[in-house]
Every structure is written in C-alpha cells, then in structure tokens.
Amino acid sequence: MIRCSGLVKSYSAGHRRKIVLGGVDLEIGRGQKLGLLGRNGAGKTTLIKLIGGVELPNAGRIERKMTVSWPLGFGGGFQGSLTGYDNARFIARIYGRNYRDIQDFIEDFTELGRQLAMPVKTYSSGMRARLAFALSLAIEFDCYLIDEVIMVGDQNFQRKCHEEIFVKRADRALILASHSVDFIRQYCDMALLIDKGEASVKGDIDEAIALYSNL
Amino acid sequence: MAALHQGWAIQTRVIQALIIRELTTRFGRENIGFLWVMAEPLLFAVLVGLLWRFEKGPQEHGVSIIAFVATGYLPLVMFRSTVQRAMGSFSANSSLMYHRQVKILDLILVRFFVEMIGHMMAYLFIATVFYALDEFPWPHDFGYLLLGWSYYALFTLTLATIVAPLSEMSEVLEKVMPVTTYLMVPFSGAFFMAEWLAPDVKAAVLWSPPVHAMEMMRYGVFGDAVYPHFSFVYTPAWCLPVLMVGLMLCRHVRRVMMVE
C-alpha cells in the first residue's frame, strides 16, 4: 500500500512561488491501477516524482508499504557517460541483485545488441526507454510508476511492454500518467484528476474522464 | 535495531556501487584505470619535492626535505581536490536521486572516499619508494600518523559538506573557491612546522584545525626530529559543530532540489 496525505509541492518562480500540488491525498493498494489525468503542466510528473521519492514534498506525508519503482520516463536514472551494461551493473548493485541473473533478461527485452556496450548518451530516447523498462522489470517492484510517454515506442516494444506489465505482472500496482483517455479506460481501475493544484481520486473512471474532457 | 542494521547494509552497498561508478566514469577501464586516482597527487608531491631538494639541499631543520614536502603536500592536495569536486556535485549527480536508497550525503562521501583513498595510496607509494632510497624515515609512531590523517580527513569532509550545498545555493562560491583554497595554503600547515615560526605567527596558524592534524602526522613520521604543536581535541571540537551545520545545509538543499 502507498498512502499520500496532504502533499504540497511548490517551486519558486522568480519572487513568487508556484504551487503545483496543493494538498493531494491518495491511497493505492496492491494490484490497483491508478491513472493520472491532467493537462500539460498540471503536475502529473511532479506527483510521480514525489511518490518515487525523487523530489521531496514541501508538506505532507508519503507512506510506502510496498516496493516502488523509480519513475519510468524518458529522462533520469541513468549516467549518460556509462554504457548500458555499466548502468545495469550499477542498478543491480544498489538494488542488491545479482547482475548475472538479470543480464539475459535485459539483453532479451531491450534487443539493443552491441549497443548495450556503448555509452547511454548515444542512445535515442526510444532506446533509453527500452533500457529503463528492462531494468525496472528485472529488479521487480510491487508498484511501478510510469509516465505514458515511455510506452510510445515502436509496435514491437509496445507489444512487449503490454505483455510484461499488464499480463505477466497483472498483480502489481501501477501509477500511470497519461493523456490518452482510452488507455486509462482500458487499463486503470481508478483515476486521479489533477487540475490547478487540486486533485481527487475517482473510483469511477468514466466520471474522471468526463471531467477531464471538459477542462 | 534490525532496521538500523538493514539500513547500514544498504548504505555500504550503495557507497560501494557509487565508488565503482565514480571510478569508471572518471578513469574508464583503459590502461591503468583507477590507478590514475593516485597519479596526480603522486606527480605533484614528487616533482615539488625534487624541486625543493635541488633548490634547498637534502635537509631542512634536520629532516629530509623530500619527505617533508610529500607529507605536507599530499594531505593538502587531498583537501583541495575534495573541496573542488564537492562543488556542484549535487546537480551533476541529481539523476541518482531517482533511486531512493541513494542519499544526498552519499554523493559527497563517495567523492571524498575516492580522493582520500587515492591520496593515501600515493602517500604509501612515495613513502615506500623514498624509504628504499633512504630519503624517507621509517615512521616514528603509526598511531600519531593515522590519527593526524583522520583529523585532516575529518576537516576535509567537514568543508566538503559545507561547500557542496552552498555551491548549489550561490554561483559566487564557484568563482571565489579557487582563490580561497589558495589563500588557505599557509593555514594548512603543509610547508612548515609551527615551531619554526615567530611566536605571533605560530599562535595565528594554530587557530587553523588542519595545522594540528599536520603537526600530528609529522610527529608520527619524524618523531623527535621535530617539535610538534597540536591539541587532540581542537580539530574535532572545531569540525563537529561545523559538520552539523553542513549536514543541515545538505538536508535543506535536498528538500528544494529539482531533479529533471
């Protein structure tokens, strides 16, 4: 279970402070799938970063009673000057996994071949997405934090992601930021609509989507 | 207690992984690889030592001049490069904050450890080679030598925890830091024994914590050939409160840190 209560996040913008999240409460249990809806800049990514512990809230609490992945998006989590293999070794070390055990899965899932021996900064964003996904799947988490942009890869990648996340790991929790209402309708069982710093969880997906469409 | 033990296990694992990562990013796997970490301090100490040797003769105040320069220079260069590398280390490594088990302090600790290990290896190397050439004495007392190193390292780490967060808060620091570390040279104790100085100058330099650490190290190496001035409590008593301030600054910077 992850429980957030009263999360506030603001950034300084010149002399003023811009409040991105003004007190968000949410709770997600094992196996639940939460979709985050909101316009560009509404704070979906910020919320995911807070839940992932990448950035810290100005106020409020986050309790994590299950293992939570790092946020999967295009950026972050890699050292560009290191090779794909070195990044994999590093991640295996800090999460206490045996590198040999995850190496095959990473080679197989990413299909990057010899590119894995090249520095990550030479990768396209799609290639980075493959690596990030493969690593977080290899480590195995109870809850995955995913920015939908990462799933916009080629057909083959989309099919693999679908298979690994929604079929093989159907029992895991998921927090997914997305602009695609169809996507959320298909995969999520609750939605959080973020607008002007306010956010509330809707158990009824269709209601959330209707509100989102009217923004 | 179990939680504490687990936390300790995670932190040591993380620091090991970060050290390997730091060494591979900085030195790569080509040719001598991570041994480069001791190459720079080694060159510095040996070349300056030889320069002084030819300029001033084999001994000064009754101790080997090469040994004197090496024992002074290496801790000083460790201090300078650690502080230099602490600057901007948070923003340069912010992507590591994607992994919750990596704490902000780990970023400072790792760079500090790499510098410390590199400079201690260089120290050991120089001492061994010049001992064989009869230019370096067998240390009089390893206890004083190691305690002095620890004090110098504590001072270095303390300053790094202050400089790293401040460099994220103000860009001025980056401009003034090189000249500050340069001006600090007379207060590092590297090029003199306090005993050789005029009384008022001596009193002034003994306000500086690294001077105590350096005098202690020199006594550990040269023994009664030098007359050291140091206090066992001054360096830690100076460092610990400052370190607390540094940790609070780090914590503050972590709270407001923006990670792309």
Side-chain angles (χ1 to χ4, degrees), chain A residues 153-213:
Chain A
D154 53 35
Q155 287 276 317
N156 157 298
F157 179 58
Q158 282 188 21
R159 190 178 46 71
K160 279 182 153 180
C161 284
H162 176 90
E163 169 77 12
E164 292 287 342
I165 286 275
F166 297 108
V167 181
K168 287 191 188 163
R169 289 173 183 75
D171 59 330
R172 309 299 168 82
L174 198 66
I175 298 179
L176 187 86
S178 178
H179 285 291
S180 156
V181 287
D182 292 335
F183 199 84
I184 293 220
R185 188 177 278 132
Q186 191 182 351
Y187 293 113
C188 298
D189 37 44
M190 45 187 202
L192 182 83
L193 182 65
I194 308 179
D195 183 38
K196 299 191 182 78
E198 302 293 320
S200 50
V201 180
K202 300 272 184 286
D204 184 348
I205 297 277
D206 289 319
E207 190 195 334
I209 289 174
L211 285 170
Y212 172 64
S213 309

Side-chain angles (χ1 to χ4, degrees), chain A residues 9 11 49 51-57 64 68-71 75-79 81-82 86 89-91 93-96, chain B residues 10 13-14 16-18 20-21 24-25 29 92-102 251 254-260:
Chain A
K9 185 67 183 174
Y11 294 101
K49 279 183 186 165
I51 296 173
V54 176
E55 290 185 6
L56 303 178
R64 302 182 190 89
V68 182
S69 79
W70 68 90
F78 289 128
Q79 170 78 18
S81 57
L82 291 181
D86 279 337
R89 278 193 196 94
F90 175 71
I91 300 261
R93 278 188 200 112
I94 61 173
Y95 286 90
Chain B
I10 294 176
R13 195 168 80 204
V14 165
Q16 277 172 5
L18 285 169
I20 297 172
R21 171 183 175 274
T24 6
T25 11
R29 291 213 177 77
N93 285 307
S94 66
S95 73
L96 284 171
M97 294 295 114
Y98 267 70
H99 309 289
R100 272 192 312 286
Q101 60 274 60
V102 182
R251 193 179 149 87
R254 176 66 183 107
R255 297 210 84 82
V256 298
M257 190 170 180
M258 280 188 273
V259 182
E260 201 186 325

Side-chain angles (χ1 to χ4, degrees), chain A residues 140-159:
Chain A
E140 299 283 0
F141 294 98
D142 298 329
C143 176
Y144 284 88
L145 307 176
I146 301 176
D147 207 323
E148 184 218 17
V149 286
I150 201 179
M151 289 183 153
V152 191
D154 53 35
Q155 287 276 317
N156 157 298
F157 179 58
Q158 282 188 21
R159 190 178 46 71

Side-chain angles (χ1 to χ4, degrees), chain B residues 110-217:
Chain B
V110 162
R111 291 191 163 186
F112 162 70
F113 282 146
V114 168
E115 295 302 328
M116 189 177 75
I117 294 165
H119 288 76
M120 286 182 101
M121 277 163 59
Y123 199 100
L124 190 65
F125 187 86
I126 289 184
T128 314
V129 169
F130 284 99
Y131 176 74
L133 297 174
D134 217 18
E135 288 278 356
F136 203 100
W138 183 258
H140 169 73
D141 187 328
F142 280 97
Y144 280 100
L145 176 57
L146 288 175
L147 191 66
W149 254 110
S150 321
Y151 278 13
Y152 214 99
L154 174 68
F155 177 74
T156 302
L157 178 64
T158 303
L159 272 256
T161 57
I162 294 276
V163 165
L166 284 184
S167 70
E168 304 292 329
M169 291 151 80
S170 152
E171 277 160 24
V172 183
L173 194 72
E174 207 172 329
K175 310 284 183 283
V176 301
M177 219 42 221
V179 64
T180 314
T181 47
Y182 185 76
L183 288 177
M184 233 209 71
V185 169
F187 295 94
S188 68
F191 300 115
F192 53 78
M193 294 300 294
E195 180 66 14
W196 306 345
L197 304 172
D200 47 343
V201 182
K202 181 169 97 182
V205 296
L206 283 173
W207 283 103
S208 171
V211 173
H212 292 258
M214 186 68 82
E215 298 271 315
M216 217 181 265
M217 275 191 269

Side-chain angles (χ1 to χ4, degrees), chain A residues 1 14 21 24-25 28 33 35-36 56 70-71 74-75 86 89 91 101 116 118 128 131 137 147 149 154 162 203 206:
Chain A
M1 184 207 62
L21 299 173
V24 176
D25 301 299
I28 175 166
K33 314 261 188 285
L36 304 183
L56 303 178
W70 68 90
F74 280 137
D86 279 337
R89 278 193 196 94
I91 300 261
D101 297 343
L116 280 172
M118 303 276 286
R128 274 168 197 249
L131 183 60
L137 292 173
D147 207 323
V149 286
D154 53 35
H162 176 90
D206 289 319

